[in-house]
Amino acid sequence: MTNIPETGRTPRVQIRLAIIQILVFSLLFTLGGRLWYLQIRNGHEYADEARSNHVQRVVQPAVRGAVLDARGVPLADNETRLVVSASRTELMRIKDRGKAVLTRLAGVLDMKPQDVMDKIRLCDSQTPKPCWNGSPYQPIPVTMEATTQQALQIRERPEDFPGITAEPTAVRRYPAPGGARTAQVLGYLSPVTDDEIQKAKDTDSPHLRSDQVGRSGIERTYDKELRGKAQVTSYEVDNLGRVMDQTKSDPGVAGSSLVTSIDARVQAVAEYELQQAMKTVRNETDNITGRKYEADSGAVVVMETKTGRVVAMASQPDYDPNVWVGGISGQDYARLTSKDSNYPLLNRAIQGQAPAGSIFKVVSASAAVRAGYPFDDKYNCSASYNMGGRSFANFESKGHGPITLGEALKFSCNTVFYALGHKEWQRDGGLEPKKDAHDWFYRTAREFGLGSETGIDLPNEVTGRIPDRHWKQSFWDANKASWCKQGKKGGTYVEQIAYESCLEGNQLKAYDSINFAIGQGDVLVTPIQMATAYSAISNGGTLYNPTVGKAVVSPEGKIEEIKPEAHGKLPVDAKTVADLDKGLRMVVEPGGTAAWRFGGWPLDRIPLRAKTGTAQVYGKQTTSWLATYTDDFTIVMTISQGGTGSGASGPAVRNIYNAMYGLTMDGKDTGKALLPKPEAKLPTVHPDGSIDAPEIKPYVPPSPEELAPVLAGPPPLRHD
């Protein structure tokens, strides 16, 4: 017999087994507890860490499409520059987070180290510019103007510049061919914002953080077509930014090119002549104020009458759109947005508003005919018009006796239109309007396209204003409180006006309609609206949407033409349109208000029509307007605080026509016509998408000797 249990285990063995069992259960309990801790207690933290091993995209922006004039001359394109960029990911791996590398880079680029470091810091709500608002995994441009020597130093010493590249890159350029900046029409680019990225997220044209997007002008309207599609390469990276694998690569597609209706040669002429007209009139004395004319801003539009296509559009003051390339400096931005520079970013052709003055009289003549006043009847053109003890004078208090509406346009007779506007106000019920009031003058203005957008393919067009009864009531509702607070009976002029407006500013008064009939008072129009209206008279009555874009050309050479579209018809019959045309022709014939500026023009070969206008603006000098057209083109020019229509704008408009048709001041052919007929065909597009661009020469303005014939003799007494 032995003392060994039946299990064959000694007590010592059993003790050991028990200890082992305890250890195993302890380990299992510990493991279970750890799993609970990892998956339940702190699961969200480790999920976040796992998510930090994610996919990042590196974007190679697409080459932006060019903007071309009607003949294929680049107005905006791309040039290859040496761009020095920094990889923030690589720099952050270095012990000092790349500080030494960036300091060395600053020395090579002749920049301050802090300026370089500021360029690559990430933007947030606390970080002032400059900073980078794109992806931190994207190479960040430090300079777009590196020299070849600087680029070689960086590339030949990679050990001194880890994470730094110097590569040729396509950068936007605005070449101003022939001196044609076309600034406000083209617009400019700047980096996309987070809000824009979110808004475009689910559209057919989403934004990437590396995108440069159009901010104004054509660059904005046709941004989707011009931008193309960037090349995107996806990498899997860990939470330290280390690349683990390349997961996907989407090839990029270059942007399409946009052919516009702008003719760079005519654009250069329009810009020069507008600027020169403003310079000239600043040397002349305003007889009303006794001061030199300020001529603080202006615009000119050249348009095809039968299509609405814009051949040239200039606005003053202007700017060089190249200041935006690579990021605008604080100094340049302040200059472009300051009151002292008079806001050159504004496109006065579509955003400048002013009373129309006498160029509005084609609307009033049309309204009169609709109201039952025959065009060829006689209406008294007296020296003044009296209403309720108040006298409304004709220009320079000159009368012409009984005249037709056509002659009223020729002489720009205010009193004829004063009387017609007053009579219609009375017929509509005066201060107690009839329920079925026709309001022919206000209605006709709206049906001429005034008081609403023309539909031009440029952003931020303003509507102008037609101060009818509805507008008067709305304006009074919005301003009554301030008028009542400011107004004072028997006070200053401004206080008295505020006092009267407080009491009855919602009423359409007789003097409102009298002033409205000659384009004065509260009416506001834009140059593009008046160009559209006068083009309609020229083409027989069709109101076209003005357009700058003419065709979109894909990188493969596929052409998508942008067809002209009409948005309405003039509210008068063909006979009235023909009568208006005859009256406007008389304006440039002997005795007309524009005749002294168009002496020698070959009216038999190139019929020309015109209407002068001088608009009064409270607190400012008069605004110059001149609206003209031939069978093919309409030109409208305005100069704020520039004086009379023919006096300030006349010489410039004449010079634009002379350049387009190739004429001397006495009407002889120079053989150098820039655009005697609208450009009907598109530029030649090759199968690879490239487009032929003809050479363009700078505009050479006429010499004083060449201008002499038109300056011979004094202007007529009435030159509006």
Side-chain angles (χ1 to χ4, degrees), residues 85 90-91 94 100-109 150 152-165:
S85 302
E90 290 191 42
L91 292 173
I94 302 173
V101 174
L102 295 175
T103 300
R104 285 194 293 272
L105 180 63
V108 172
L109 299 177
Q150 289 169 337
L152 286 174
Q153 287 186 62
I154 293 167
R155 300 187 71 169
E156 289 176 353
R157 293 158 51 196
E159 69 281 359
D160 289 337
F161 299 102
I164 307 299
T165 58

Side-chain angles (χ1 to χ4, degrees), residues 367-600:
V369 172
R370 296 180 77 191
Y373 301 92
F375 196 88
D376 290 326
D377 268 15
K378 297 291 184 176
Y379 304 91
N380 186 32
C381 179
S382 56
S384 64
Y385 181 78
N386 295 309
M387 185 276 298
R390 186 172 179 179
S391 179
F392 294 83
N394 208 356
F395 191 87
E396 297 182 352
S397 299
K398 182 177 175 61
H400 292 274
I403 59 175
T404 65
L405 289 180
E407 290 170 322
L409 294 175
K410 173 181 180 177
F411 300 122
S412 202
C413 181
N414 288 343
T415 52
V416 166
F417 295 101
Y418 287 151
L420 291 169
H422 188 202
K423 287 177 184 177
E424 279 307 295
W425 176 81
Q426 291 173 322
R427 285 172 62 177
D428 286 331
L431 294 177
E432 298 179 0
K434 301 174 183 177
K435 288 184 178 180
D436 59 347
H438 291 294
D439 286 333
W440 285 118
F441 278 70
Y442 299 95
R443 200 159 126 201
T444 301
R446 290 196 178 278
E447 291 172 2
F448 259 71
L450 307 182
S452 59
E453 296 177 4
T454 62
I456 189 170
D457 54 347
L458 292 174
N460 303 320
E461 179 188 6
V462 299
T463 63
R465 182 169 67 207
I466 298 302
D468 54 16
R469 298 180 196 276
H470 175 73
W471 177 85
K472 291 284 285 187
Q473 183 65 48
S474 300
F475 196 64
W476 185 72
D477 290 339
N479 295 279
K480 180 183 177 183
S482 62
W483 283 335
C484 293
K485 184 178 180 180
Q486 181 187 12
K488 181 181 178 182
K489 186 177 181 180
T492 64
Y493 175 77
V494 173
E495 290 172 336
Q496 181 65 29
I497 292 294
Y499 173 76
E500 294 174 3
S501 297
C502 168
L503 295 178
E504 48 195 30
N506 59 333
Q507 294 181 340
L508 186 69
K509 299 292 186 68
Y511 61 77
D512 289 322
S513 291
I514 288 172
N515 279 323
F516 183 77
I518 63 163
Q520 290 288 172
D522 291 317
V523 63
L524 294 175
V525 301
T526 65
I528 194 67
Q529 287 174 333
M530 299 314 296
T532 302
Y534 273 81
S535 289
I537 298 172
S538 174
N539 68 38
T542 302
L543 291 161
Y544 282 100
N545 296 348
T547 52
V548 177
K550 196 172 183 181
V552 176
V553 182
S554 73
E556 300 80 28
K558 182 181 177 182
I559 300 173
E560 182 182 344
E561 191 170 354
I562 301 167
K563 299 286 188 181
E565 292 183 4
H567 63 263
K569 288 274 191 180
L570 293 181
V572 289
D573 59 21
K575 180 183 182 304
T576 303
V577 173
D579 286 338
L580 291 172
D581 184 76
K582 291 176 186 175
L584 295 172
R585 173 161 179 155
M586 288 192 284
V587 175
V588 296
E589 293 176 338
T593 57
W596 69 299
R597 289 305 193 190
F598 288 93

Side-chain angles (χ1 to χ4, degrees), residues 2-177:
T2 66
N3 293 326
I4 299 174
E6 294 181 3
T7 59
R9 299 173 184 164
T10 65
R12 180 175 293 182
V13 171
Q14 289 177 327
I15 292 170
R16 288 177 177 173
L17 287 173
I19 293 171
I20 291 172
Q21 288 173 340
I22 292 169
L23 288 173
V24 169
F25 281 118
S26 298
L27 289 172
L28 289 173
F29 179 78
T30 302
L31 180 60
R34 184 61 177 167
L35 287 173
W36 175 86
Y37 180 83
L38 293 175
Q39 295 187 17
I40 300 175
R41 172 70 170 75
N42 279 9
H44 65 282
E45 294 183 15
Y46 293 99
D48 289 343
E49 287 192 28
R51 280 195 293 269
S52 68
N53 291 344
H54 59 297
V55 174
Q56 284 291 342
R57 299 181 300 174
V58 174
V59 180
Q60 181 64 41
V63 175
R64 193 171 179 88
V67 178
L68 310 170
D69 87 338
R71 301 187 309 140
V73 176
L75 301 172
D77 58 8
N78 306 290
E79 64 178 349
T80 301
R81 293 188 189 178
L82 285 170
V83 177
V84 175
S85 302
S87 170
R88 197 172 187 280
T89 301
E90 290 191 42
L91 292 173
M92 293 302 103
R93 293 177 187 161
I94 302 173
K95 183 178 284 188
D96 66 351
R97 301 174 71 81
K99 186 175 181 179
V101 174
L102 295 175
T103 300
R104 285 194 293 272
L105 180 63
V108 172
L109 299 177
D110 296 324
M111 296 174 66
K112 295 178 181 178
Q114 188 59 50
D115 290 344
V116 174
M117 294 175 194
D118 288 348
K119 287 259 189 177
I120 71 160
R121 63 186 177 180
L122 301 181
C123 290
D124 57 31
S125 59
Q126 307 297 322
T127 305
K129 290 191 176 184
C131 58
W132 175 247
N133 69 347
S135 168
Y137 295 93
Q138 188 75 20
I140 302 173
V142 176
T143 181
M144 293 186 175
E145 299 177 347
T147 65
T148 304
Q149 185 177 3
Q150 289 169 337
L152 286 174
Q153 287 186 62
I154 293 167
R155 300 187 71 169
E156 289 176 353
R157 293 158 51 196
E159 69 281 359
D160 289 337
F161 299 102
I164 307 299
T165 58
E167 301 290 343
T169 305
V171 176
R172 203 59 165 169
R173 179 182 73 133
Y174 300 96

Side-chain angles (χ1 to χ4, degrees), residues 137-386:
Y137 295 93
Q138 188 75 20
I140 302 173
V142 176
T143 181
M144 293 186 175
E145 299 177 347
T147 65
T148 304
Q149 185 177 3
Q150 289 169 337
L152 286 174
Q153 287 186 62
I154 293 167
R155 300 187 71 169
E156 289 176 353
R157 293 158 51 196
E159 69 281 359
D160 289 337
F161 299 102
I164 307 299
T165 58
E167 301 290 343
T169 305
V171 176
R172 203 59 165 169
R173 179 182 73 133
Y174 300 96
R181 282 182 168 180
T182 330
Q184 292 92 345
V185 174
L186 290 172
Y188 57 91
L189 307 177
S190 71
V192 68
T193 66
D194 287 339
D195 285 345
E196 289 167 330
I197 291 172
Q198 289 302 314
K199 287 178 182 177
K201 193 174 182 180
D202 299 320
T203 69
D204 60 350
S205 181
H207 288 303
L208 299 172
R209 284 195 173 274
S210 61
D211 281 344
Q212 294 276 319
V213 296
R215 287 294 169 215
S216 69
I218 283 296
E219 293 277 29
R220 176 173 169 180
T221 303
Y222 294 94
D223 181 71
K224 177 183 173 182
E225 292 81 0
L226 293 167
R227 189 166 13 107
K229 181 183 176 185
Q231 176 180 320
V232 181
T233 305
S234 300
Y235 296 95
E236 186 178 349
V237 298
D238 63 15
N239 62 342
L240 296 178
R242 294 173 297 203
V243 175
M244 301 171 67
D245 190 20
Q246 178 177 326
T247 61
K248 187 179 180 182
S249 181
D250 295 328
V253 178
S256 297
S257 292
L258 177 71
V259 178
T260 70
S261 54
I262 298 291
D263 186 299
R265 302 166 302 173
V266 180
Q267 178 71 26
V269 176
E271 290 182 13
Y272 176 87
E273 291 297 342
L274 173 62
Q275 188 176 41
Q276 192 62 34
M278 292 170 65
K279 286 181 179 178
T280 299
V281 79
R282 286 176 190 145
N283 292 320
E284 298 176 5
T285 301
D286 176 10
N287 292 330
I288 299 174
T289 64
R291 297 183 285 109
K292 299 290 186 183
Y293 284 110
E294 293 188 21
D296 54 349
S297 62
V300 60
V301 176
V302 183
M303 181 188 291
E304 294 179 8
T305 61
K306 297 180 180 69
T307 64
R309 286 183 169 136
V310 176
V311 176
M313 178 181 282
S315 176
Q316 282 290 333
D318 71 348
Y319 65 96
D320 181 2
N322 287 296
V323 299
W324 294 92
V325 177
I328 190 169
S329 69
Q331 183 178 359
D332 283 334
Y333 185 78
R335 179 176 56 83
L336 293 182
T337 56
S338 74
K339 184 178 180 180
D340 290 342
S341 60
N342 203 13
Y343 312 108
L345 293 178
L346 288 177
N347 183 350
R348 261 89 181 178
I350 66 171
Q351 296 172 303
Q353 304 181 102
S358 291
I359 66 169
F360 187 83
K361 288 173 182 173
V362 293
V363 175
S364 297
S366 300
V369 172
R370 296 180 77 191
Y373 301 92
F375 196 88
D376 290 326
D377 268 15
K378 297 291 184 176
Y379 304 91
N380 186 32
C381 179
S382 56
S384 64
Y385 181 78
N386 295 309

